[in-house]
């Protein structure tokens, strides 16, 4: 498995951290590339936790060797 991250954007909004990046995933039989977004709560003292996350494919980026 190979995962790459590119075009990272980080913003702080209303006490939470919004992280957005392009994630490229390559497995033995599947690969995709898309925007991953995460909302993090907490801070450096208490640690961060993921409150929510999402993923949106870039056009024509998914491939499944079983199809």
């Amino acid at each position: 498995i190979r995962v790459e991250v590119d075009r990272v954007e980080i913003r702080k909004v209303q006490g939470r951290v919004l992280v957005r990046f392009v994630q490229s995933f390559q497995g033995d039989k599947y690969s995709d590339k898309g925007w991953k977004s995460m909302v993090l709560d907490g801070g450096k003292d208490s640690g961060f936790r993921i409150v929510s996350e999402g993923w949106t494919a870039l056009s024509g980026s998914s491939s499944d060797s079983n199809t």
Side-chain angles (χ1 to χ4, degrees):
I1 294 175
R2 181 182 190 146
V3 179
E4 294 181 2
V5 173
D6 192 25
R7 296 168 56 186
V8 178
E9 302 170 6
I10 302 170
R11 296 182 305 170
K12 190 168 185 179
V13 178
Q14 298 177 349
R16 290 188 168 172
V17 178
L18 308 177
V19 182
R20 184 173 185 244
F21 54 89
V22 174
Q23 175 181 285
S24 301
F25 175 87
Q26 177 73 46
D28 291 336
K29 297 182 180 183
Y30 179 81
S31 66
D32 63 31
K33 185 173 187 177
W35 281 102
K36 177 89 171 199
S37 59
M38 296 189 295
V39 177
L40 308 175
D41 201 6
K44 69 177 186 177
D45 294 334
S46 62
F48 288 99
R49 66 181 181 89
I50 299 171
V51 175
S52 66
E53 63 181 294
W55 185 83
T56 304
L58 292 177
S59 297
S61 66
S62 294
S63 71
D64 186 345
S65 65
N66 291 330
T67 58

